[in-house]
Amino acid sequence: MDSIGLLSSVLCKHWFHPPVVAIWTDGATLSAWSEVEVALAAAQAELGLIPADAAATIARRLEGVKLDPQRLAADIAHTMHPFVPVLHQLEELCGEPAAAYLHWGATTQNIFDTGAALQLKRSHALLLESIDQALAALATLARDHRDTPQAGRTHGQHALPITFGFKVAAWHAEMRRHRERLVSASHGAFIASMGGAVGAFAAMAGRGREVQALVAQRLGLESNELPVRCAYDHTAAYVSALAMMGSTVEKIAGEVFTLQRSEIAEVEEGFHRGKVGSSTMAQKRNPGLVMNLTGLSRLLRSRVPIALEAIVRHDEGDGASNNICDVTLPETVICAVSLAHGLARLAEGLVVDPAAMSRNLGRSGGLIVSEAVMMALAPHIGRHHAHKVLYDVAQDTAEGGGSFATRLRDHSLVQPLLDRLDIDVLLDPARYVGEAPDCVDDELAR
Amino acid sequence: MDSIGLLSSVLCKHWFHPPVVAIWTDGATLSAWSEVEVALAAAQAELGLIPADAAATIARRLEGVKLDPQRLAADIAHTMHPFVPVLHQLEELCGEPAAAYLHWGATTQNIFDTGAALQLKRSHALLLESIDQALAALATLARDHRDTPQAGRTHGQHALPITFGFKVAAWHAEMRRHRERLVSASHGAFIASMGGAVGAFAAMAGRGREVQALVAQRLGLESNELPVRCAYDHTAAYVSALAMMGSTVEKIAGEVFTLQRSEIAEVEEGFHRGKVGSSTMAQKRNPGLVMNLTGLSRLLRSRVPIALEAIVRHDEGDGASNNICDVTLPETVICAVSLAHGLARLAEGLVVDPAAMSRNLGRSGGLIVSEAVMMALAPHIGRHHAHKVLYDVAQDTAEGGGSFATRLRDHSLVQPLLDRLDIDVLLDPARYVGEAPDCVDDELAR
Amino acid sequence: MDSIGLLSSVLCKHWFHPPVVAIWTDGATLSAWSEVEVALAAAQAELGLIPADAAATIARRLEGVKLDPQRLAADIAHTMHPFVPVLHQLEELCGEPAAAYLHWGATTQNIFDTGAALQLKRSHALLLESIDQALAALATLARDHRDTPQAGRTHGQHALPITFGFKVAAWHAEMRRHRERLVSASHGAFIASMGGAVGAFAAMAGRGREVQALVAQRLGLESNELPVRCAYDHTAAYVSALAMMGSTVEKIAGEVFTLQRSEIAEVEEGFHRGKVGSSTMAQKRNPGLVMNLTGLSRLLRSRVPIALEAIVRHDEGDGASNNICDVTLPETVICAVSLAHGLARLAEGLVVDPAAMSRNLGRSGGLIVSEAVMMALAPHIGRHHAHKVLYDVAQDTAEGGGSFATRLRDHSLVQPLLDRLDIDVLLDPARYVGEAPDCVDDELAR
Amino acid sequence: MDSIGLLSSVLCKHWFHPPVVAIWTDGATLSAWSEVEVALAAAQAELGLIPADAAATIARRLEGVKLDPQRLAADIAHTMHPFVPVLHQLEELCGEPAAAYLHWGATTQNIFDTGAALQLKRSHALLLESIDQALAALATLARDHRDTPQAGRTHGQHALPITFGFKVAAWHAEMRRHRERLVSASHGAFIASMGGAVGAFAAMAGRGREVQALVAQRLGLESNELPVRCAYDHTAAYVSALAMMGSTVEKIAGEVFTLQRSEIAEVEEGFHRGKVGSSTMAQKRNPGLVMNLTGLSRLLRSRVPIALEAIVRHDEGDGASNNICDVTLPETVICAVSLAHGLARLAEGLVVDPAAMSRNLGRSGGLIVSEAVMMALAPHIGRHHAHKVLYDVAQDTAEGGGSFATRLRDHSLVQPLLDRLDIDVLLDPARYVGEAPDCVDDELAR
């Protein structure tokens, strides 16, 4: 078992959504590179820069290309170059004279960047698919629980009531915004770059920009507006957008983690017989998917500083940055798609317990709606004085125990107003959810 | 001298662009909060939720508000709350009965977030101004040096010729893209939030969404589509865009640093008599602004993980995240604007030495244009074989010394072609700048 | 109110422990620099490199030095040098001829680094004091609750019982180890550096290493073993140790946050009348200190990448790294000391509710001690089969409801063993705390 | 070619030192876990907690264990548990009745953490070996170039002369300190943890601490002083020390990168025929190893925030943190050892060109030793006035051109002293290397 590493180890490779993994294997990467070489030759043939025959042979021979991995590994180590050994095998496959026209006027990083753009574009489609699946599941949850009262909490303490649908609608809104940002960041991020060694198309006989435009067109990419190799803002912006989406998934996972706590128990991630929580504590029903998503998001987020720092490049080309970007991008994208897909599964499988929500909401004996009382007092004694009243009564209750309602009624500023205030109604949390249900409707209508 | 900290110490406060600093002082922050309270009262009066008189008094009394900083500091420490002591002073300023209607239905974080949005919007205008100034200076440099040949370098080694204008055009393009991203990220980032304690408008008598829309309108902000306090994606996206722009400034600064090195000396950042490089080495002309920008960018970038992690919030409100976002955002924005402004100054003052560029370009005796020879050989012997020829001759020259041109002419595969190749022309770097000048034109036309 | 920034704003400056802030104000920094110049002159006089009179005058005139901050700020901005304007004011204070011997053979960064070492050393003493205070408070808590049963939780779910003292003992152990690491990291971190411009003592007449040793001795520092200005490992290691300690404080704070949640309510951070949780929810008793410590730790941790990256310096001196290290170090140290001090306050004020712990422990009807039953079954049917039995019964209970004990007794593999197992005893969580109390004793004995 | 990921892809797996990779493959990890289970059974048998026969069978059957990877991957995905499926295969291998005593009283994370400690310890030995090899090579370089003059640079500008040996001695010193820190951090980091589910040894019949001590002894590890699963400071401290060492390797690599720049060309990393710089620029001799080390260091450093944040854990166990630590630790350690090993290769292969150093040193016509002249003038006119003289002359030279020496001699304050100063001697950079050679001797003697 020589398997090793985040994406390869049998211990963790199930964390990742298989279709996106398949886009980034070595085999798929080499295929993407071949597609780029084929498109380059075709474009150059079209413009008369290389013979049409050569381009045709290249296209035919590189279709479904398979290379010798052992030899490749050895040659890459020896040449200390990640592409020249690939190129040599491709030349052999093409044979003479076509081999002579392969990689014409290009440099390694052109092939790498354009190939990665192809892979990114394919991953992006999967990403949107998973986000849409998650949005649909969240929308269903929000709709179903539009009116399910639940304790709203701030800083770990009961704050005011909400509805569970309101909470989920906010998750939906955040994921929807990430989707918009990702689509926006994708523009200009999936680009064909054929500028050659320093980006100035030196070896393209003055027709480099045309060549690049044709390559882009053939591959379904945009043409890099100025293909210097020392620009990374396009990809960094996309990576940042991925990580921000991942952070929202982590937030939602964290909320489920909290709400699933033994003492709260308002929701539970999907469970199936056979899912094991512990090798020694048989009763455990852990939020395993939740923890997995939490971890993946942190892994993803830890890659952002690499991408941002990689904007800071030396010279017309900077191998140190290229190297680490080339190896970090796949795992970044794979984490992101797996996060979106995992959120869909989490939302689809979530078990919600409205009774537990109701039970928790009632625990504080009305303290959770102290604001309702304050706002009812405010027109009579002023908002600021009302806050003081509630503060005193609530803190007395917290310290001295007893009934909040009784202590309220006994307060000298409240007593005179009792005929105008129905304390019992004010202290019913289920009546004080504000515009939560309307907010759900608004969000679902967006 | 009790001054302390990045933005306050006399040792470093000159790093920052004064107009943006002025937007984020305590005084300016308290003013922004007051503006929000005033707008809230006005909106509520307009909808009949509070008396019109109260709103008018609030507006009048809070105009140009000045608070007692000593008392504020003491009260904040005692209450362990950053706003209630402010509110108390505002209530005193308003007097009875208007004080009773201040902060009606709102929660602290509404005021903070909406106030910060006001400050962000003002900073954003300064940012675009500085970016535009930088873009203009870069455009001038690019135009002036459209045809100035310079060694293109990759991995620290001479690669192929470019023109200096081409290099600068790529900087321009990158900054232009950042400008677009920043404008895009600003949509939805400068928002009014009046959802109250948990975002569901509980204390707004069912008209919270209307109140918020009016507040937004009065303040020139967008209305938060779902004002939960646990969403931070809006601001995080904006902060990420700031940091990416900063990274590009750092890249450009790094390029100047390298090109100003004593042995390269192709450019120099502006110098004035009185600028001191060292307390002991009087000859020093350091790239001081360059280093300053480099440092600021790293400071800025180090704040991104905070913003991204702050997307991951607990509950309906999370004070730990709020706290650190509230103190990190000002320094982040200030760094960003100062970076853009610094880049403008750097570009405007840059001294360029075309003669040095030309001298360096000639150092390698033609090795820098080995690709030109390869491409000239390619139609005769194939690109792949031509690469092998050049590799052998170039490495022999590197190891054995002597003239690259002579060794080339002596190579068995080159010799037969000498009547069809003009080696001297091929080895003239100034002739091999590809489409660099055209790329400059394209960029300047965008 | 021009105050601004993390350490200066009236809105947040109360977060920080005043004694450590006092060490890093501009005034204190300038004093530290003066102390270094005085020590340098004294050392050089002792070795005969400069006149003894000059050294004496320098010492006398720079005692309790006060500089003109306005002029300093203006001159630093103009010269773009952070020290030369200071030096000029110091020279004026010394007067002729002593001024001629100030800063002899030194470079700016020598003064800065050695001055910062003095400040670091002073902060370190405060740090150890606060850690010791925290350790004492934690030890008391651990001792007092050595035998207080509490639900142990993993992944948010009830796992096995512990005692609260056991939990606190683990916090104590972790803080104790950080103390050891900090002491270890302090060796070699508080050093005098007098190597001059490039670290080779060029202007010290061949006696630089002796000068440096004397300076170190006078200032109570270690002598830098090889005073190149491009080494930062000493300080980075110390900063890392600070941030790790801060992370443990954040962990403890996070535990209190969870245990203080409304539904768990086993502990509460200290509360005093006057502490306000919300401007609108008067009942709120928020873990304000906890959130403050959480935020400070994240701020601190976000500075670690700066310090680590600052190890990677260009050349014999790298101003960009120096700049940001010089401004980041103070806030880093101040956060760290404030975290340690805050932990002491948190532990000292913590209110513990053993009854709530007991109540929560009993919630699961014995599921929390499924392992106890498994281990009792194991000698009879094998650990692996026992795990299967418990898994089935526990999951049936979770899904079907009813009594875990009854379902257990009814299981076909358990029934035959009932005369040898006392299920009631096995299901009593308070009996199954393992060696938790012994671990407390062990830790308190360390 | 399904290979994928940093450690598995054929495109980059040659970056890593094979012996350390071999320690962390899935096979090696499963072996380590088996070793731990064997040691646990043996310890328990020794104390009479399980039958001696069972322990003997377990030891025999788990020797050189091989598991079914396909089945493992499927079962891990289904159970969502990373160890229970492994345990089931181990139980099958042991057979009845021994299987009944496997994993007695332990929990999954005990096995994982103790297994990882074994792997860490083995990696640590390789690490020290590579560091020692690097130190030896650096010592040789420092000794050989003890007296080779070279331009010292600060902020990219010529500063003062040093010797190349001095520069290398500082690298040596820094790596030596890292070695000390790593050894120090290794104490307490390679520990056996057998505390069971929540760390309190609940299922060890009161003898858990003894069991753990025996396990530790058998495995050559330290016994965890308080084996809670929510402590990660031990490992985080070790990871931080690794990353700091890596940063120094990156610094050294960066220095070589700069010194190898085409215009400086004072050193070159080892080159061999067959090493390829570019697919299109045949002349390229890139610092490939240097860039590789630079990239690896950044990858390593990007993992530090994960480790530091992982100190902040929830509850008695926190699966999200465990998950990401378990997958991040291997790549972290592998990067670190590969960095140390790469530094050894870099230092051993480094080609140094003293003639180029001398040439560059002379470029400035003496400006590089302006300090020498200043210090010579200082006794006559005061250090501060001398600085002013040198500033004026140097800046005049920089702007007006001409000879620095001539301008110096012509200055009104210098002219009168010309009989007491030998300007030519003062302006000879090779004479002004200070105590650089002595510092080399000191370092080599440490």
Side-chain angles (χ1 to χ4, degrees), chain A residues 84 87-88 91 96-97 99-106 150-157 159-162 166-167 169-170 173-174 176-178 181 184 196-210 224-238 240 243-248 250-251 254-255 258 297 301 304-305 308-309 311-320 322 371 375 378-379 381-385 387 432-436 438-440 442-443 446, chain B residues 84 87-88 91 96-97 99-106 150-157 159-162 166-167 169-170 173-174 176-178 181 184 196-210 224-238 240 243-248 250-251 254-255 258 297 301 304-305 308-309 311-320 322 371 375 378-379 381-385 387 432-436 438-440 442-443 446:
Chain A
V84 163
L87 187 57
H88 287 168
E91 287 164 357
E96 301 289 349
Y101 297 99
L102 202 58
H103 198 60
W104 190 268
Q150 183 189 28
R153 298 160 176 102
T154 59
H155 323 314
Q157 300 299 304
L160 280 186
I162 53 171
F166 174 77
K167 184 189 280 274
E174 202 164 321
R176 179 176 47 75
R177 290 190 296 263
H178 285 304
R181 274 182 213 111
S184 167
V198 294
F201 304 102
M204 292 277 194
R207 309 197 60 184
R209 289 168 298 157
E210 290 167 79
N224 192 343
E225 46 186 30
L226 212 169
V228 287
R229 288 165 50 198
C230 49
Y232 198 65
D233 57 305
H234 330 74
T235 311
Y238 187 72
S240 293
M244 288 188 282
M245 181 215 66
S247 297
T248 293
E250 182 180 354
K251 180 182 88 166
E255 282 284 78
T258 294
S297 166
R301 209 159 57 237
V304 172
L308 261 59
E309 190 180 351
I311 291 177
V312 187
R313 302 188 160 202
H314 298 295
D315 301 331
E316 271 58 63
D318 179 343
N322 285 340
E371 190 196 60
M375 292 307 287
I381 63 174
R383 204 205 77 94
H384 47 338
H385 299 304
H387 188 280
Y432 198 71
V433 299
E435 302 172 34
D438 309 287
C439 289
V440 174
D442 288 356
E443 173 58 22
R446 266 173 213 128
Chain B
V84 163
L87 186 57
H88 287 167
E91 287 163 357
E96 302 290 348
Y101 298 98
L102 202 60
H103 198 57
W104 191 268
Q150 181 189 29
R153 298 160 175 102
T154 59
H155 323 314
Q157 300 299 304
L160 280 186
I162 53 172
F166 174 76
K167 184 189 280 274
E174 201 164 323
R176 179 177 47 75
R177 290 190 297 262
H178 286 305
R181 272 180 215 114
S184 168
V198 295
F201 304 102
M204 292 277 194
R207 309 196 60 184
R209 289 166 298 157
E210 290 166 81
N224 190 341
E225 46 186 30
L226 212 170
V228 287
R229 289 164 50 199
C230 50
Y232 199 64
D233 57 304
H234 330 75
T235 312
Y238 186 73
S240 293
M244 288 188 283
M245 181 215 66
S247 297
T248 293
E250 183 180 353
K251 179 182 89 167
E255 282 284 79
T258 294
S297 166
R301 208 158 58 235
V304 172
L308 262 58
E309 191 181 350
I311 292 177
V312 187
R313 301 188 160 202
H314 299 293
D315 302 331
E316 271 59 61
D318 179 343
N322 286 340
E371 190 197 61
M375 291 307 288
I381 63 174
R383 204 204 77 93
H384 47 338
H385 299 304
H387 187 280
Y432 198 70
V433 299
E435 302 173 34
D438 309 287
C439 289
V440 175
D442 289 354
E443 174 57 22
R446 267 174 213 128

Side-chain angles (χ1 to χ4, degrees), chain D residues 38-375:
Chain D
V38 166
L40 173 61
Q44 290 171 323
E46 187 173 339
L47 293 170
L49 298 179
I50 67 165
D53 276 5
T57 305
I58 288 170
R60 205 170 53 246
R61 298 283 180 83
L62 298 192
E63 170 103 48
V65 61
K66 297 243 178 307
L67 304 184
D68 174 347
Q70 239 66 34
R71 186 181 145 205
L72 212 52
D75 289 355
I76 288 173
H78 177 67
T79 58
M80 296 183 66
H81 198 281
F83 184 64
V84 163
V86 174
L87 187 56
H88 286 167
Q89 292 199 30
L90 297 181
E91 286 164 358
E92 289 170 21
L93 286 170
C94 290
E96 302 289 349
Y101 297 98
L102 201 60
H103 198 59
W104 191 267
T107 200
T108 296
Q109 204 63 33
N110 296 161
I111 309 305
F112 281 22
D113 289 347
T114 308
L118 274 177
Q119 292 168 291
L120 268 179
K121 197 185 171 190
R122 288 162 190 166
S123 301
H124 184 67
L126 284 177
L127 177 66
L128 295 187
E129 210 174 81
S130 289
I131 293 178
D132 288 340
Q133 192 184 340
L135 284 172
L138 292 172
T140 300
L141 274 176
R143 194 176 297 111
D144 290 352
H145 295 283
R146 176 189 186 276
D147 299 300
T148 306
Q150 183 188 28
R153 298 160 176 103
T154 59
H155 324 314
Q157 300 299 305
H158 279 195
L160 280 185
I162 54 171
T163 68
F164 181 60
F166 174 76
K167 183 189 280 274
V168 176
W171 298 346
H172 185 276
E174 202 165 322
M175 286 301 294
R176 179 177 47 74
R177 290 190 296 263
H178 285 304
R179 192 193 193 286
E180 289 162 15
R181 273 181 214 112
L182 281 159
V183 168
S184 169
S186 73
H187 298 312
F190 310 150
I191 50 182
S193 302
M194 286 294 143
V198 294
F201 304 103
M204 292 278 194
R207 309 195 63 182
R209 289 166 298 156
E210 291 167 80
V211 169
Q212 182 180 276
L214 284 174
V215 169
Q217 195 185 332
R218 282 176 180 272
L219 295 173
L221 301 172
E222 296 178 66
S223 185
N224 190 343
E225 47 186 30
L226 213 169
V228 287
R229 288 164 50 198
C230 50
Y232 198 64
D233 58 304
H234 329 78
T235 311
Y238 187 72
V239 165
S240 294
L242 291 176
M244 288 188 283
M245 182 215 67
S247 297
T248 293
V249 176
E250 182 180 354
K251 179 182 89 167
I252 297 171
E255 281 284 80
V256 172
F257 183 92
T258 295
L259 298 178
Q260 181 166 347
R261 278 193 170 278
S262 302
E263 289 84 0
I264 302 179
E266 298 183 355
V267 306
E268 187 185 7
E269 79 165 43
F271 182 84
H272 61 270
R273 280 294 170 115
K275 182 177 171 185
V276 177
S278 163
S279 60
T280 192
M281 297 172 291
Q283 89 279 7
K284 280 306 230 57
R285 294 166 76 101
N286 289 328
L289 175 56
V290 153
M291 292 190 291
N292 188 237
L293 297 176
T294 303
L296 283 185
S297 166
R298 291 187 195 167
L299 291 181
L300 171 53
R301 208 159 57 235
S302 74
R303 273 63 177 174
V304 171
I306 294 176
L308 260 59
E309 190 181 351
I311 291 177
V312 187
R313 303 187 159 202
H314 298 294
D315 301 330
E316 272 58 62
D318 179 342
S321 292
N322 285 340
N323 284 351
I324 58 171
C325 291
D326 289 349
V327 301
T328 300
L329 189 60
E331 59 188 27
T332 303
V333 174
I334 290 170
C335 280
V337 176
S338 302
L339 276 159
H341 189 253
L343 175 61
R345 287 187 297 137
L346 180 65
E348 288 166 357
L350 199 72
V351 178
V352 181
D353 184 345
M357 290 177 181
S358 174
R359 211 155 46 232
N360 288 333
L361 194 51
R363 296 173 74 101
S364 69
L367 282 166
I368 195 173
V369 282
S370 81
E371 190 196 62
V373 184
M374 177 185 79
M375 291 307 288

